[in-house]
Amino acid sequence: MAAAVVCALTSCSGHDPAPASSPAAGAGTPSPSADPGKPRANEDPSHYAAPVAKYAAQAGIHPQLLMAVLYNESYKPHDPDFQRAWQKIKPDAAFGIANMHKAAFDETKQGRDFAHRDWQELPDDTNLAVEAAAWFLHDLAEQLPDHWSGSYTKDELLALGYNAGGGNMAAFARGAKPGADAQTYLDRLRTNWSTAAAALKKS
């Protein structure tokens, strides 16, 4: 993948920090929306089980990995108004429920059925966000060597690539030790793994 996409999803030094106070703070569990494609603040990723299963199958990746990544990325509010307000403060902030940066989205969509879509649509369309994340993981999988050192599973390496970029993923596959932020992301993935499996059973 082009160097511009390395670390293009979530920053290599960690996630975009969200303000301590946000429009979604204290919102509690949201009620079902009339529009299933529109995200709601702090929504449990299990609501997206159906599109996760669909797009993971299309992209040829493990649906549990995609769901676990969504749980990892649910650390900040995904309300569209909040995301756009936050982007005015931090122009390089990520968009959508999968926290995708513009460079990553623009490269991932090439040659795909969502090639005509714009990154600015991600906050409003959860299906697009899930589809783009699935294909980004697919593209990362294409970069993995046939064999790698260390005890990481394929899905763990792909999650590390999602967080830290394809170049760092390749380094981890060669035996490099993840930094603190990447290790924290991996630890969260392992914690969220069984939760992701349970969420998919609801679809």
Side-chain angles (χ1 to χ4, degrees):
M1 185 167 290
V5 183
V6 174
C7 306
L9 283 167
T10 52
S11 147
C12 287
S13 60
H15 293 297
D16 301 326
S21 176
S22 75
T29 303
S31 59
S33 167
D35 181 359
K38 184 174 182 179
R40 299 180 287 279
N42 295 329
E43 185 172 47
D44 187 325
S46 66
H47 289 283
Y48 313 128
V52 164
K54 173 184 175 180
Y55 294 119
Q58 290 182 4
I61 62 164
H62 193 180
Q64 193 171 351
L65 167 64
L66 181 55
M67 180 62 81
V69 164
L70 291 185
Y71 272 101
N72 270 32
E73 299 296 336
S74 65
Y75 66 94
K76 72 178 183 181
H78 289 133
D79 174 78
D81 292 337
F82 170 82
Q83 287 199 4
R84 290 194 168 91
W86 182 235
Q87 200 223 6
K88 290 178 181 177
I89 300 170
K90 186 176 176 63
D92 64 343
F95 266 173
I97 61 170
N99 292 335
M100 182 169 276
H101 285 269
K102 187 176 188 303
F105 179 80
D106 286 346
E107 181 157 333
T108 301
K109 74 178 184 178
Q110 298 303 314
R112 306 253 155 80
D113 63 4
F114 57 100
H116 63 289
R117 304 293 298 274
D118 190 90
W119 173 73
Q120 294 277 351
E121 299 175 64
L122 287 176
D124 303 296
D125 191 336
T126 58
N127 288 332
L128 177 62
V130 172
E131 183 177 16
W135 284 106
F136 187 87
L137 288 165
H138 168 276
D139 292 348
L140 285 171
E142 294 289 301
Q143 300 174 49
L144 278 176
D146 292 334
H147 306 283
W148 52 84
S149 59
S151 59
Y152 300 119
T153 67
K154 177 180 178 180
D155 287 332
E156 288 174 343
L157 282 171
L158 293 178
L160 285 167
Y162 195 92
N163 174 249
N168 285 318
M169 177 190 71
F172 301 147
R174 292 192 300 268
K177 181 179 175 60
D181 293 316
Q183 184 62 53
T184 296
Y185 196 87
L186 180 59
D187 292 343
R188 284 210 311 273
L189 183 91
R190 290 168 173 168
T191 298
N192 288 327
W193 197 248
S194 59
T195 304
L200 287 165
K201 290 180 180 179
K202 299 179 182 179
S203 63

